[in-house]
């Protein structure tokens, strides 16, 4: 990769990071390209160089957030066995809640526009698939067999995670670990 390509990629990454931070702070509907430019320390012209318009920026942000989230989730249980698996999964979720990407993704799901909605649909499907994989790995680590299909538990897990991300906005001081533990006690009752 040439230095110019690397610089362009770094600028686009800074713009995406700034856009995500602005969305978490203000909401997708209220974020302007000027807000993003100021947060990223770039000009609006540079944003337009990388992204045709706000719709393309938001669609690419959904993709960028999805790739990071799914990759981090895929490694959440790497090298972990037995009862440490639930703690490792909690650590992944705690980190994600702190990062704010889930909150940004949920807000972006409400944005109108075909490009953004197409990216949201792909993201939803990949998140469900990744959750199913984590459920399968968790059951293997705990030597359990699900009595219901893993994809169904995976869907419940995604909904739970999204609920915690939204709850973080409403009640930031609430101890999400308690909710996590209760959720998993209920989910593990669906296994043998």
């Amino acid at each position: 990769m040439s230095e110019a390509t690397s610089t362009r990629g770094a600028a686009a990454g800074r713009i995406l990071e700034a856009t995500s931070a602005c969305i978490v702070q203000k909401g997708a509907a209220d974020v302007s390209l000027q807000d993003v430019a100021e947060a990223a320390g770039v000009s609006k012209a540079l944003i337009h160089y990388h992204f045709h318009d706000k719709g393309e920026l938001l669609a690419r942000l959904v993709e960028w957030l999805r790739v990071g989230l799914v990759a981090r989730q895929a490694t959440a249980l790497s090298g972990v066995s037995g009862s440490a698996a639930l703690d490792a999964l909690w650590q992944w979720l705690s980190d994600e809640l702190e990062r704010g990407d889930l909150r940004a993704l949920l807000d972006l799901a409400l944005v109108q526009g075909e490009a953004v909605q197409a990216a949201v649909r792909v993201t939803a499907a990949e998140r469900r698939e990744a959750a199913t994989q984590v459920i399968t790995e968790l059951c293997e680590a705990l030597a359990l067999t699900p009595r219901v299909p893993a994809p169904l538990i995976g869907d419940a897990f995604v909904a739970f995670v999204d609920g915690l991300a939204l709850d973080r906005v409403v009640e930031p001081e609430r101890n999400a670990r308690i909710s996590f533990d209760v959720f998993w006690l209920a989910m593990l009752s669906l296994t043998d």
Side-chain angles (χ1 to χ4, degrees):
M1 178 184 321
S2 73
E3 188 175 323
T5 303
S6 176
T7 303
R8 280 196 299 263
R14 255 191 357 264
I15 292 166
L16 291 168
E17 286 176 15
T19 305
S20 180
C22 287
I23 288 171
V24 168
Q25 184 179 43
K26 296 177 95 174
D30 294 330
V31 171
S32 69
L33 291 181
Q34 185 61 43
D35 295 330
V36 173
E38 290 171 6
V42 300
S43 68
K44 281 175 56 177
L46 186 61
I47 294 174
H48 283 290
Y49 173 75
H50 290 284
F51 310 97
H52 178 69
D53 57 18
K54 185 178 176 183
E56 181 185 343
L57 171 61
L58 296 180
R60 293 258 310 273
L61 177 60
V62 171
E63 295 166 1
W64 184 74
L65 291 171
R66 176 193 73 232
V67 167
L69 176 66
V70 169
R72 290 185 299 271
Q73 184 174 348
T75 62
L77 299 179
S78 293
V80 178
S81 61
S83 61
L86 275 174
D87 287 332
L89 192 57
W90 164 250
Q91 188 59 56
W92 164 79
L93 179 55
S94 179
D95 292 346
E96 291 302 329
L97 292 172
E98 188 64 33
R99 183 176 279 111
D101 291 358
L102 287 163
R103 173 71 178 92
L105 276 172
L106 293 172
D107 207 52
L108 287 162
L110 302 174
V111 172
Q112 299 299 311
E114 184 52 39
V116 175
Q117 287 302 305
V120 165
R121 285 189 296 276
V122 169
T123 296
E126 286 193 22
R127 288 187 64 211
R128 285 192 304 272
E129 185 177 313
T132 299
Q133 183 60 40
V134 164
I135 298 308
T136 301
E137 290 175 21
L138 181 64
C139 286
E140 288 172 1
L142 297 173
L144 298 171
T145 304
R147 287 184 280 148
V148 297
L152 186 59
I153 299 173
D155 286 350
F157 182 56
V158 169
F160 171 74
V161 165
D162 289 352
L164 283 183
L166 290 174
D167 193 49
R168 187 100 184 212
V169 174
V170 178
E171 293 234 20
E173 299 305 316
R174 183 180 295 189
N175 185 344
R177 178 64 195 248
I178 294 169
S179 298
F180 177 86
D181 289 343
V182 169
F183 175 82
W184 280 107
L185 282 173
M187 290 299 103
L188 293 175
S189 73
L190 301 174
T191 63
D192 293 320

